[in-house]
């Protein structure tokens, strides 16, 4: 039965809900008032955010970006370690202000939260035999490409080059061996593994080239609560300034560049968009 | 849905699985076509009255039979082509090396098993048959071809058909060298759609159906042509 008491209760509930909404209508003002901003981080994902064993300090690529955002806001950064699965709920429930937690920006999540500018792009890459003369993905059309079975690589390369002929093996090492023996013209693997495979080639490496284009991009971005335009504007502005000043490039090299464990030769992306 | 039969009835996944089934059948037929004469040759060598062909036959049978099929496939795909001269290797790599190497491995593996079945068949033919043929004026080769082998093969048909069922099932191992047969395509459907239940149900039923068809053919053959007792 629906009586007057229910009506009153639900009106109160609605009012409380609207009030809560109003109170958080400007997260940016709240953060400035409190003088601190809470970042949800993983703290276990080197080099994005992890505890440096010697100093016991939380450091990483995304930690540096978070510091830059806090500095721009003129507030103190607070880091809260959260689990991978809890990231979006923690943000939605207001336990953290921003997610800096190796968060992939994808279409499914766009309905739940907003994203800052993409600050890192990872994904699969393609290694080709240099003698094939192939320098870009479209040239792989109709060619035989080898990769491991069961991962996202086959799907990604077919999406990138629909007419490609894919032969898959039980594991990446067999696929890599097939490439080395010339059974395929190209080999697909995720970027960091591909670089490590390349390293194993030794002097034979000059016979192989890694194409610069990524396939199956996984753009990473900071996560924000939906509709917080003020905060998002500051976050995006911070990232744009990092990019234009060259600081973003330096951060990349510090955590991912040559000589690091990941050892990427160079950055394949710039920070410029929140579109995927 | 727990089990969605529609992906097996039409669409892309259906096409992949059917392509895989067709290649599996082709692999079996082509390998059988090579394995049977190879097996017959080995069996004749092994029952020869000369020591050299006997030794070669026995060596080949033991060397091939005592290596697992998986190792065979990986050897013929990853190692054997490296031993070929450059030009031959290029020809092989330009012509679907996955399928070619699968046929080589399956033919040899099925061939030596068939050789042993045929050898048993040859031994089941009384020695007097060959002596009679020779005394009627047939040459050594003609006696074997016209008198010995037809009787031996007839006696070998039941185990040979059983080897054919094995060959059909063994074709699934070709997936490890990237030959796009039925198991390969089932795994591909699983990767693309996460519908492993449907994909592997299709594969299982397909293997079962074809195996039963071969067994039924064997049964009919035996009814029509029973082994004659000499």
């Amino acid at each position: 039965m629906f009586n007057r008491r229910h009506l009153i209760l639900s009106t109160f509930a609605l009012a409380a809900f609207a009030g809560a909404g109003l109170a958080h209508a400007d997260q940016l003002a709240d953060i400035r008032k409190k003088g601190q901003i809470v970042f949800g981080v993983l703290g276990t994902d080197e080099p994005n955010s992890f505890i440096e064993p010697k100093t016991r300090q939380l450091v990483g690529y995304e930690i540096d970006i978070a510091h830059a955002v806090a500095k721009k806001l003129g507030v103190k950064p607070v880091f809260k370690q959260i689990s991978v699965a809890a990231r979006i709920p923690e943000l939605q429930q207001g336990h953290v202000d921003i997610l800096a937690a190796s968060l992939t920006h994808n279409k499914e999540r766009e309905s739940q939260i907003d994203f800052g500018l993409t600050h890192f792009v990872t994904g699969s890459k393609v290694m080709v035999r240099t003698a094939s003369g192939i320098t870009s993905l479209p040239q792989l059309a109709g060619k035989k490409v080898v990769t491991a079975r069961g991962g996202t690589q086959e799907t990604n390369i077919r999406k990138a080059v629909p007419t490609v002929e894919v032969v898959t093996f039980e594991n990446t090492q067999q696929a890599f061996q097939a490439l080395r023996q010339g059974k395929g013209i190209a080999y697909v693997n995720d970027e960091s593994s591909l670089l490590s495979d390349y390293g194993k080639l030794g002097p034979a490496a000059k016979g192989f080239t890694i194409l610069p284009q990524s396939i199956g991009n996984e753009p990473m971005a900071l996560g924000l609560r939906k509709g917080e335009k003020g905060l998002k504007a500051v976050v995006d502005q911070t990232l744009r300034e990092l990019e234009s000043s060259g600081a973003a490039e330096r951060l990349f090299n510090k955590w991912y560049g040559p000589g690091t464990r990941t050892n990427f030769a160079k950055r394949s992306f710039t920070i410029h968009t929140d579109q995927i | 849905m727990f089990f969605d039969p529609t992906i097996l009835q039409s669409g892309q996944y259906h096409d992949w699985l059917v392509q895989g089934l067709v290649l599996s059948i082709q692999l079996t037929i082509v390998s059988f076509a090579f394995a049977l004469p190879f097996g017959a040759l080995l069996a004749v060598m092994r029952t020869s009255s000369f020591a050299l062909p006997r030794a070669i036959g026995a060596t080949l049978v033991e060397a091939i039979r005592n290596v697992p099929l998986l190792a065979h496939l990986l050897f013929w795909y990853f190692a054997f082509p490296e031993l070929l001269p450059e030009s031959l290797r290029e020809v092989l790599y330009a012509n679907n090396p996955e399928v070619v190497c699968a046929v080589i491995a399956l033919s040899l593996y099925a061939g030596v098993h068939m050789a042993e079945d045929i050898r048993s068949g040859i031994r089941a033919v009384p020695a007097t048959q060959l002596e009679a043929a020779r005394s009627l004026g047939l040459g050594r080769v003609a006696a074997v071809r016209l008198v010995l082998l037809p009787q031996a093969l007839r006696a070998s048909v039941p185990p040979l058909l059983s080897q054919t069922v094995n060959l059909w099932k063994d074709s699934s191992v070709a997936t490890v060298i990237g030959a796009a047969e039925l198991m390969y395509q089932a795994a591909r459907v699983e990767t693309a759609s996460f519908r492993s239940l449907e994909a592997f149900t299709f594969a299982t039923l397909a293997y079962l159906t074809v195996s039963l068809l071969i067994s039924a053919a064997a049964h009919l053959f035996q009814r029509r042509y029973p082994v004659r007792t000499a």
Side-chain angles (χ1 to χ4, degrees), chain B residues 46-106:
Chain B
R46 288 206 73 180
T47 51
S48 165
S49 50
F50 299 107
L52 186 67
R54 273 209 311 275
I56 295 173
T59 308
L60 281 173
V61 168
E62 297 308 335
I64 296 171
R65 194 170 58 161
N66 290 301
V67 171
L69 178 60
L70 179 62
H72 267 289
L73 281 157
L74 294 174
F75 172 82
W76 289 104
Y77 186 72
F78 283 111
F80 162 72
E82 296 299 300
L83 309 172
L84 290 175
E86 184 79 32
S87 54
L88 265 178
R89 198 187 320 155
E90 272 167 21
V91 172
L92 173 64
Y93 288 175
N95 290 289
N96 208 338
E98 291 78 30
V99 169
V100 173
C101 294
V103 166
I104 296 175
L106 287 168

Side-chain angles (χ1 to χ4, degrees), chain A residues 144 149 158 168 181 183, chain B residues 77-78 93 98 175 184:
Chain A
K144 190 150 120 189
R149 195 170 307 153
R158 281 187 199 278
T168 61
Q181 295 186 341
K183 289 175 175 114
Chain B
Y77 186 72
F78 283 111
Y93 288 175
E98 291 78 30
T175 192
Y184 180 102

Side-chain angles (χ1 to χ4, degrees), chain B residues 121-133 147-148 151-152 228-230:
Chain B
I122 289 173
R123 292 173 62 189
V125 179
T128 47
Q129 290 286 315
L130 206 54
E131 284 163 15
V147 177
L148 182 68
Q151 295 184 71
R228 287 196 193 116
T229 45

Side-chain angles (χ1 to χ4, degrees), chain A residues 147-165:
Chain A
T147 188
R149 195 170 307 153
T152 51
Q153 293 96 332
E154 181 178 3
T155 319
N156 289 341
I157 187 70
R158 281 187 199 278
K159 221 175 271 170
V161 190
T163 59
V164 79
E165 188 198 336

